[in-house]
Amino acid sequence: MKMKTEILPAEGEAIAKAADLLRRGELVALPTETVYGLAASAEDGPALLMLYEVKKRDPDKASAVLVTGMEMVEKYCQNIPQGAYRLAEKYWPGPLTMILEDKGVVSPATTGEGDTLGVRCPNHPVTLAVIEKAGVALAAPSATPAGQPSPKTAQEVLDYFDGHMEGIIDGGPCALGVESTIVDLSGGTPRL
């Protein structure tokens, strides 16, 4: 389905619009310090299936979610080890994804029907503001078709997905340009 994809400036009104679109089940691309992500509400199964279809991504593949901090993580994860709080205190917001035990609040499409959930607090004020305003964690794999280089600018996202999402918040070029480090804390011993 083709639609008009709008590039939104990284400011108040655009943040409110992006949050509203996400709450309504639409897709929005957001900047992080690593790469741009293609976001949908982590609780909205149909929106996630649309996200996977647009990306041409295997729906059985789990997607990390973006959160505003450990308070939000507690809504979505259970049996959280103390080490997760220490890592968050030291490295969040930042390019660290932690794999924790899923609580069953997000759509099964987010976890790939698994029992763990990847959570990350991005170091980008605009994206944190959108998550806060939307009031929900966002599934946000890189805003790229499967197998393509991850986008570092809003224009690269538009080149990939023009007409297949409602909006892109233009937060400028991503500072790092590579995906985050992943630490699995769901078992007894942390694994990188």
Side-chain angles (χ1 to χ4, degrees):
M1 173 176 84
K2 284 287 207 181
M3 61 187 74
K4 179 169 178 11
T5 301
E6 188 178 358
I7 293 187
L8 305 166
E11 59 189 27
E13 194 174 301
I15 288 166
K17 182 173 184 174
D20 183 56
L21 288 168
L22 290 161
R23 280 193 304 271
R24 291 193 341 238
E26 302 294 344
L27 305 181
V28 176
L30 301 169
T32 72
E33 76 282 16
T34 56
V35 297
Y36 273 75
L38 182 56
S41 166
E43 298 178 23
D44 188 334
L48 289 162
L49 293 177
M50 182 171 55
L51 184 151
Y52 288 160
E53 185 179 311
V54 165
K55 278 183 58 69
K56 297 178 176 38
R57 179 183 172 119
D58 180 352
D60 293 333
K61 191 173 179 182
S63 179
V65 300
L66 302 181
V67 296
T68 55
M70 287 304 289
E71 187 176 310
M72 189 175 257
V73 169
E74 290 169 353
K75 176 181 175 184
Y76 297 102
C77 299
Q78 61 189 358
N79 302 320
I80 302 168
Q82 282 305 307
Y85 291 92
R86 288 192 297 273
L87 285 171
E89 188 175 322
K90 184 166 176 79
Y91 296 108
W92 277 6
L96 173 69
T97 300
M98 293 188 280
I99 308 293
L100 299 168
E101 190 178 322
D102 180 42
K103 200 183 223 179
V105 176
V106 297
S107 164
T110 304
T111 63
E113 303 286 341
D115 57 2
T116 59
L117 181 64
V119 291
R120 180 164 105 75
C121 179
N123 191 8
H124 200 290
V126 171
T127 297
L128 288 173
V130 171
I131 298 165
E132 184 78 34
K133 191 90 172 157
V136 65
L138 303 177
S142 63
T144 175
Q148 295 297 313
S150 295
K152 296 161 201 63
T153 67
Q155 184 60 52
E156 288 174 5
V157 177
L158 189 65
D159 291 345
Y160 283 139
F161 295 122
D162 189 12
H164 296 282
M165 65 165 65
E166 288 289 336
I168 303 166
I169 291 206
D170 188 352
C174 297
L176 297 179
V178 294
E179 285 78 1
S180 68
T181 298
I182 300 172
V183 178
D184 188 342
L185 299 169
S186 64
T189 305
R191 291 183 305 124
L192 271 179

